[in-house]
Amino acid sequence: MFDIFLTVKKGEAKKRIEELKELIRTHNHNYYVLNAPTISDFEYDILMNELIQLEKLFPQYITKDSPTQNVGSDLAVTGAGQGGFRQYRHEYPMLSLSNTYDLEELYAFDQRVKKVADSPFSYNCELKFDGTAICLTYKDGILFRALTRGDGTVGDDVTSNVMEIGSIPQKLKSGTSYPREFEIRGEIYMPYEAFDRLNRQRELDEDPPFANPRNAAAGSLKLLDSAAVKERGLESTLYHLIAPDLGVTTHSDALKAAAEWGLPVSEYAKECKGIEEVVEYITLWDEKRRSLPFATDGIVVKVNQLDLQKKLGFTAKSPRWATAYKFKPEEALTKLLSIDYQVGRTGAITPVANLEPVLLSGTMVKRASLHNSEQMELLDIHIGDYVYVEKGGEIIPKITRVEISKRSASAEKARFPACCPDCGTPLVKDPEEAKSFCPNSDGCPMQQKGKFLHFIGRKAMNINAGEATIEQLYTKGYIKRLSDIYSLTSNELSQLDKWKEKSVANFLNSVKQSKERPFSKVLFALGIKYIGETTANSLAYTFKSIENLMHASREELTETEDVGEKLADSIISYFSNPDNIKLIEELKAAGLKFSIDENSAMKLSDALDGRTFMITGIYTIPREEMKAYIEAHGGKVASSVSSKTDFLVAGEKSGEAKIKKAEKLGVEIISEEELYKMTSK
Ligand code: IVH
């Protein structure tokens, strides 16, 4: 597939094989479990190919646990249910596909098939949907179970989540003749539109954005709250029917039958008479896929005749009757107009390129990240350059290279500023992070405004205002320190542009309400470097009050869940600044909570001890509160209905399928009222 120089000595080969195995295992974990890859699929395939080639030359070093012998695992934690889902064994192993970026290898695949075939055959060409694999079992026309690929042998049971995906029927079309029991496999994916919407929201919420639609789909499928899955806008296409005695002889007819039963089957598949027609299909879709509303990363070529498929059989990892031709990552060429140097709330400077708008993977791209000064140096970027952009690991695309041949003689090299573009303070470099910072954290307007925006954010103090309000309040000099928000008067607010009595009252009310935010949110709102939402929670519940946290030793801090050395140092440094202590005193005086509310964290009773609950539908209180309520009374809340569930608390508009499943498993179904009665005994 890729030319690699294979003059490796035996000793070196062994070392390199071990190195590659380790590397690929790490990348598998990042991709399948964390849903956060750090390299592109293309780079991954290069590593995998090197390992395949080396193992071919030195078969004595092939081990059973080599990534070439196993499919990557998406199981969060091995062992039943530990990752939050029950796990089940696949009836038939869920395999992967061999792949290539090279047409020559596709011809070689055709030759291998021809050798085995003793009668004319055809190929079924399909789009390779870039999502996450799913295996559905239907019994008597009802969706019985949905499993992820897992490690290929055992998968996570994500049935209740899959039931929230509109295109997957919970019941097959009545009157059609589906088998009593069958399996169908396919892909769950997230269309670009839903992906962009999700990442925009995540950015607002300060959650890390998903790297690509595939990771977003895989992450969404593993959410513990099924209701949240519905909002993610997942779609599905099914491409592999496994059923005995279907009465069909080709794969394409099997899919046709599945479509008649009401299952989502791709409309883009095509039967091709020979390899030349396959290549035509590939050429057509390499271009046409750019206008599809979802991501594809190649074409899957499958032998269409089921008897020939059977004859060809499988390797340990993939079928011999199918292969994937993968497209190189999509890139676009456009002009670099200018570079903005953004100042974040922590003072970090990020260069962002403004580009001539260009279409890439279905979305119009106007801005791209340049990461840091080193990246700019590496690219040797000049203003006016034509640059290639690619959708990489971040929400905004990245510039991968410059088209030097198109550079104009007068183009000027882009220079990373030596001083803060906002306040003019000389920048300092953090060698560990390859980032430049503006050290003027108390005086730099951009940093200050960023801090206010973070403070009022939905996941922090949840104050009803946006960037424009902060800008006005800051420019007028009404807010200099975070605590100033709590002494704003209606007189000051009514001076703001377009602010009427009602907006003033709304704002003041929201400021007042923010005083009820729990300690964990207040801690997050302070904006201490590296404290995210999750770590703020862990710290609040471990240390219980700001005083305890302030006086915690480095060891005590690093013993806390999710707290590493870097974060511990950041906390110590924050509290060693007298101005921060003063700020906390001011916020305390304003009425903010700096310790956990013992009542809310306290166990209210043990009425539900040892019982497992599943919650579904709408209650008179928010779901989160319902969960906290059950837990405060000693109960456990599970993510899906299983035989281990004791009660299903059915709210309004509960999912029919969940109720049916609960009934089938003998799980007692109770109302919200009945739950409250159980705890009042
Ligand atoms: S066939 C044994 N068909 O690509 C049959 N897979 O890289 C194997 N995929 O694990 C699957 N679109 O998750 C097949 N039209 C398609 C596909 C497809 C996407 C995924 C699937 C598979 C992966 C292999």
Side-chain angles (χ1 to χ4, degrees):
M1 172 164 67
F2 306 98
D3 290 329
I4 53 167
F5 199 54
L6 284 170
T7 51
V8 206
K9 287 197 202 99
K10 228 170 149 186
E12 283 169 15
K14 187 164 187 233
K15 196 167 150 242
R16 181 66 183 151
I17 286 178
E18 286 312 316
E19 243 172 49
L20 284 166
K21 280 200 244 178
E22 206 40 51
L23 255 175
I24 294 173
R25 266 185 219 122
T26 307
H27 289 306
N28 276 347
H29 184 78
N30 291 344
Y31 186 90
Y32 288 110
V33 179
L34 304 180
N35 289 313
T38 51
I39 58 170
S40 69
D41 288 5
F42 188 60
E43 288 160 318
Y44 175 90
D45 289 335
I46 290 175
L47 293 176
M48 184 62 105
N49 183 55
E50 188 183 345
L51 182 58
I52 292 172
Q53 302 290 340
L54 281 173
E55 286 184 343
K56 255 189 207 159
L57 284 175
F58 302 96
Q60 65 271 39
Y61 300 137
I62 302 182
T63 54
K64 264 197 177 152
D65 67 346
S66 167
T68 58
Q69 311 297 307
N70 300 283
V71 301
S73 170
D74 67 39
L75 299 175
V77 189
T78 28
Q82 289 185 53
F85 296 95
R86 274 185 82 101
Q87 291 170 352
Y88 289 96
R89 187 163 282 276
H90 287 295
E91 185 95 20
Y92 313 92
M94 262 183 107
L95 301 176
S96 184
L97 282 174
S98 60
N99 69 56
T100 179
Y101 289 84
D102 187 347
L103 283 183
E104 285 304 312
E105 285 195 18
L106 198 61
Y107 284 108
F109 164 78
D110 180 49
Q111 287 306 321
R112 287 195 298 275
V113 175
K114 277 184 178 145
K115 254 192 193 162
V116 177
D118 43 25
S119 52
F121 67 93
S122 59
Y123 290 113
N124 201 52
C125 287
E126 297 165 14
L127 300 183
K128 189 168 180 314
F129 290 81
D130 202 5
T132 183
I134 193 77
C135 174
L136 309 176
T137 304
Y138 281 86
K139 282 190 186 174
D140 296 314
I142 305 287
L143 175 60
F144 171 72
R145 186 170 288 153
L147 295 181
T148 66
R149 184 166 75 170
D151 61 5
T153 310
V154 171
D156 276 332
D157 179 355
V158 288
T159 315
S160 45
N161 286 354
V162 163
M163 282 177 173
E164 301 294 344
I165 302 174
S167 57
I168 296 182
Q170 291 179 27
K171 196 173 174 306
L172 298 179
K173 262 191 202 161
S174 49
T176 58
S177 51
Y178 42 78
R180 209 189 78 70
E181 183 173 339
F182 68 90
E183 247 185 58
I184 189 157
R185 294 173 176 185
E187 205 79 353
I188 307 273
Y189 62 92
M190 187 177 282
Y192 288 129
E193 205 187 318
F195 171 69
D196 289 341
R197 186 170 9 110
L198 173 63
N199 265 356
R200 272 199 302 273
Q201 186 57 50
R202 287 177 75 84
E203 230 186 13
L204 287 178
D205 293 346
E206 298 196 17
D207 282 330
F210 282 108
N212 51 48
R214 191 216 81 88
N215 296 121
S220 304
L221 199 60
K222 293 272 182 104
L223 284 172
L224 295 181
D225 177 4
S226 304
V229 178
K230 195 172 192 144
E231 289 160 22
R232 294 281 174 103
L234 294 173
E235 289 288 342
S236 165
T237 187
L238 305 175
Y239 46 64
H240 190 198
L241 179 64
I242 309 176
D245 311 324
L246 255 184
V248 295
T249 56
T250 62
H251 168 72
S252 51
D253 282 346
L255 291 187
K256 248 181 235 155
E260 275 162 24
W261 310 333
L263 291 162
V265 167
S266 169
E267 58 190 280
Y268 308 106
K270 184 175 183 265
E271 190 181 346
C272 295
K273 290 274 162 334
I275 196 69
E276 293 308 332
E277 268 188 40
V278 170
V279 175
E280 270 171 39
Y281 181 89
I282 289 175
T283 318
L284 174 79
W285 280 103
D286 195 1
E287 188 52 45
K288 225 172 140 184
R289 73 188 183 109
R290 284 163 217 264
S291 49
L292 288 170
F294 50 82
T296 52
D297 59 340
I299 297 296
V300 183
V301 184
K302 297 174 180 170
V303 166
N304 200 25
Q305 284 64 29
L306 299 178
D307 56 350
L308 181 53
Q309 280 192 3
K310 209 167 164 189
K311 237 171 138 185
L312 284 155
F314 297 86
T315 70
K317 218 182 141 180
S318 51
R320 287 199 190 85
W321 45 262
T323 194
Y325 175 84
K326 289 182 78 173
F327 299 126
K328 296 234 174 70
E330 219 181 304
E331 56 177 19
L333 185 66
T334 188
K335 194 173 175 182
L336 169 70
L337 302 174
S338 60
I339 299 175
D340 287 341
Y341 296 90
Q342 292 181 342
V343 190
R345 71 178 161 89
T346 58
I349 313 286
T350 310
V352 177
N354 293 309
L355 306 166
E356 217 160 66
V358 66
L359 195 66
L360 179 67
S361 307
T363 41
M364 199 53 99
V365 172
K366 295 188 206 101
R367 283 157 78 75
S369 174
L370 278 160
H371 298 293
N372 51 39
S373 55
E374 268 147 48
Q375 178 70 5
M376 284 173 54
E377 253 333 291
L378 265 175
L379 290 167
D380 181 32
I381 205 150
H382 286 49
I383 304 294
D385 267 348
Y386 278 83
V387 292
Y388 287 96
V389 282
E390 208 178 87
K391 278 208 170 159
E394 284 90 33
I395 181 173
I396 57 171
K398 58 180 177 188
I399 294 184
T400 52
R401 62 203 163 95
V402 173
E403 184 56 68
I404 303 282
S405 66
K406 284 180 149 247
R407 177 174 290 165
S408 103
S410 59
E412 271 192 41
K413 190 173 162 113
R415 302 229 172 262
F416 198 89
C419 296
C420 174
D422 200 41
C423 69
T425 309
L427 300 179
V428 291
K429 194 126 187 223
D430 182 336
E432 254 185 58
E433 295 190 41
K435 278 241 168 211
S436 299
F437 285 85
C438 165
N440 182 20
S441 55
D442 296 331
C444 175
M446 286 283 259
Q447 284 187 60
Q448 287 301 312
K449 283 182 259 177
K451 284 189 178 107
F452 280 111
L453 272 173
H454 172 80
F455 184 82
I456 64 168
R458 214 159 61 89
K459 294 203 167 174
M461 301 314 289
N462 195 23
I463 294 173
N464 196 0
E467 216 172 322
T469 304
I470 294 297
E471 179 71 48
Q472 288 195 62
L473 291 170
Y474 188 83
T475 318
K476 285 205 179 295
Y478 293 160
I479 50 170
K480 292 193 184 79
R481 305 168 61 73
L482 292 178
S483 49
D484 292 340
I485 292 200
Y486 293 93
S487 45
L488 283 167
T489 61
S490 46
N491 201 11
E492 282 169 331
L493 291 165
S494 47
Q495 315 276 320
L496 301 183
D497 210 19
K498 294 188 191 133
W499 276 51
K500 303 239 158 59
E501 219 172 288
K502 193 154 177 230
S503 22
V504 172
N506 280 347
F507 180 81
L508 286 175
N509 191 26
S510 151
V511 169
K512 191 170 157 212
Q513 275 179 7
S514 79
K515 296 181 186 175
E516 297 306 315
R517 300 287 279 169
F519 174 41
S520 57
K521 306 286 177 198
V522 178
L523 185 57
F524 175 64
L526 291 177
I528 302 172
K529 201 168 169 185
Y530 307 126
I531 294 196
E533 201 198 355
T534 320
T535 36
N537 267 332
S538 310
L539 288 165
Y541 285 91
T542 308
F543 292 96
K544 313 246 181 313
S545 72
I546 198 92
E547 285 76 17
N548 292 342
L549 180 64
M550 216 182 273
H551 299 123
S553 67
R554 200 166 185 276
E555 288 66 41
E556 284 169 322
L557 289 170
T558 48
E559 272 166 22
T560 312
E561 207 178 328
D562 304 316
V563 179
E565 315 246 311
K566 228 163 68 169
L567 178 53
D569 288 342
S570 161
I571 295 173
I572 293 169
S573 146
Y574 182 87
F575 289 118
S576 66
N577 181 345
D579 196 50
N580 290 334
I581 308 290
K582 189 172 161 241
L583 172 71
I584 290 167
E585 288 309 323
E586 288 161 2
L587 292 172
K588 234 189 225 174
L592 271 58
K593 294 187 174 165
F594 278 95
S595 59
I596 65 164
D597 193 341
E598 288 294 347
N599 284 337
S600 70
M602 213 172 56
K603 202 168 167 191
L604 297 175
S605 81
D606 50 17
L608 307 179
D609 257 1
R611 310 280 180 84
T612 303
F613 293 79
M614 165 76 199
I615 57 179
T616 179
I618 303 166
Y619 306 107
T620 53
I621 56 171
R623 248 161 190 276
E624 278 304 306
E625 274 179 41
M626 176 56 90
K627 190 166 174 260
Y629 182 86
I630 293 174
E631 285 167 352
H633 287 279
K636 253 177 67 182
V637 179
S639 54
S640 62
V641 190
S642 74
S643 54
K644 286 192 184 157
T645 317
D646 296 299
F647 297 97
L648 178 83
V649 189
E652 254 182 64
K653 296 192 185 154
S654 293
E656 202 183 312
K658 260 186 211 141
I659 304 271
K660 272 202 182 139
K661 190 169 173 195
E663 280 170 354
K664 208 164 173 183
L665 293 170
V667 174
E668 197 175 335
I669 302 168
I670 56 168
S671 66
E672 183 178 350
E673 278 292 275
E674 286 171 292
L675 174 81
Y676 295 148
K677 275 190 198 142
M678 282 169 81
T679 54
S680 65
K681 263 181 213 160

